[in-house]
Amino acid sequence: MILTVTLNTALDLTYRVPALVPHTSHRVTQVIERPGGKGLNVARVLAALGHETVATGFAGGSTGEILRAQLAPGAVVDALVPTAGTTRRTVAIVDSTTGDTTQLNERGPVITPAEWSALTDRCTELLADAEAVALCGSLPPGIHVGAYAELIRLARSAGVPVLLDTSGEPLRRGIAARPDIVKPNADELAQLTGSREPHRATRDARRRGAHAVVSSLGPDGILAATPDGLWRATPPAAVKGNPTGAGDSAVAGLLSGLVEKLPWPDRLTRAVALSAATVLSPVAGEFERPTYEELLPRVTVTEQAEAA
């Protein structure tokens, strides 16, 4: 079983409009509603890849009820912890003419100390049966910035490999707790290390405590500093579409590869192919298996010189 933790779950709404024009009214041509938050996105992709997946985190209020109702029929096991606050919503507005997406993210409910304690207890129980765990996304109000570091220590005590995907101070604190993998994007990596040179920044982030650092470079693929070397994986060509959830699909690729004990080049190939397939999908945050399977053999992985 693979466990995902989403402390700031969301109900994702995607509105598609013919063209997004500021200061005007718009006729929405399509509405899609689904459970969201980075860890739930990761869980959905892992389940589609055939892995038994359990999702925990917080859900509350009427929005949380809708989220859980939509999660229940799927392949992801619901182990969410109730909260008195109302789960946030995110709204993605897709311009059908350009393919561009405008994202609006609510802040999330305030989590009480008692609710946080219930979450750590739930994680301790679930880690006993987990092969790996992903800690994903932002922290809702009320949770201390060292929350992910605390959960990483729980996972390490249970002997469970852990992947961390967050940003800012939670990433800085978390990486010092020595997770097995961290997956920042280029901006998050620059904020952490102070460098925008990808090779230098990725290696520097690894020196801060992570076993491996996989940096997302957007349409240019990913760069990974691992115990087996420095690797670059790129898609066959720049793909245009909706990038919502592409990074989460990459996380699912990395985590599934870890559990399956794939070598790093194969993990990175899967991560890039899933990410590109997600960008190309007509539904935000989803991927179509034929597209993924067509992209998989066309991803290029090269070993990078350490002095690059």
Side-chain angles (χ1 to χ4, degrees):
M1 175 268 282
I2 299 177
L3 175 64
T4 70
V5 181
T6 314
L7 299 180
N8 209 6
T9 58
L11 185 66
D12 287 347
L13 301 172
T14 301
Y15 293 155
R16 186 172 290 274
V17 298
L20 182 60
V21 182
H23 315 301
T24 65
S25 297
H26 296 79
R27 186 175 297 278
V28 177
T29 58
Q30 183 186 38
V31 179
I32 299 170
E33 182 180 80
R34 58 169 196 156
K38 292 180 72 65
L40 291 185
N41 296 340
V42 172
R44 186 164 43 245
V45 176
L46 285 169
L49 292 172
H51 287 274
E52 179 186 357
T53 309
V54 177
T56 192
F58 296 107
S62 57
T63 309
E65 290 177 4
I66 296 170
L67 182 152
R68 300 187 80 161
Q70 294 187 6
L71 192 64
V76 177
V77 177
D78 177 357
L80 296 168
V81 173
T83 179
T86 299
T87 297
R88 66 187 178 129
R89 296 161 296 182
T90 68
V91 179
I93 305 171
V94 181
D95 185 318
S96 297
T97 301
T98 64
D100 292 338
T101 301
T102 299
Q103 192 80 17
L104 306 173
N105 297 329
E106 295 180 0
R107 187 169 177 235
V110 175
I111 303 302
T112 67
E115 290 166 347
W116 171 246
S117 178
L119 186 281
T120 56
D121 289 345
R122 178 69 55 86
C123 285
T124 299
E125 295 169 3
L126 294 170
L127 285 167
D129 297 316
E131 298 174 88
V133 57
L135 310 176
C136 303
S138 61
L139 300 180
I143 293 186
H144 61 96
V145 293
Y148 281 133
E150 183 176 342
L151 294 178
I152 289 166
R153 287 190 287 269
L154 283 180
R156 289 179 62 82
S157 295
V160 178
V162 54
L163 184 152
L164 175 64
D165 183 12
T166 188
S167 61
E169 191 61 24
L171 172 60
R172 191 179 304 277
R173 301 283 187 94
I175 201 171
R178 305 187 66 80
D180 293 85
I181 305 172
V182 295
K183 197 214 72 65
N185 62 33
D187 289 339
E188 292 162 351
L189 193 64
Q191 184 181 13
L192 175 68
T193 66
S195 173
R196 285 202 168 270
E197 199 289 308
H199 291 78
R200 181 182 300 111
T202 302
R203 288 194 299 265
D204 180 45
R206 185 166 181 249
R207 285 194 291 268
R208 291 168 184 257
H211 196 59
V213 176
V214 181
S215 174
S216 173
L217 305 178
D220 296 324
I222 56 181
L223 183 67
T226 80
D228 298 330
L230 190 65
W231 305 89
R232 177 76 176 268
T234 55
V239 294
K240 187 172 179 59
N242 185 353
T244 302
D248 303 328
S249 291
V251 167
L254 294 169
L255 206 60
S256 61
L258 184 156
V259 168
E260 295 170 29
K261 297 180 170 49
L262 298 180
W264 270 104
D266 291 345
R267 299 187 205 181
L268 301 176
T269 297
R270 179 180 293 180
V272 169
L274 282 169
S275 180
T278 301
V279 173
L280 292 169
S281 173
V283 179
E286 305 287 348
F287 79 96
E288 295 184 344
R289 183 169 285 275
T291 304
Y292 160 64
E293 292 176 348
E294 189 273 333
L295 287 166
L296 197 60
R298 299 170 58 206
V299 174
T300 301
V301 180
T302 56
E303 190 166 10
Q304 306 286 289
E306 285 294 333

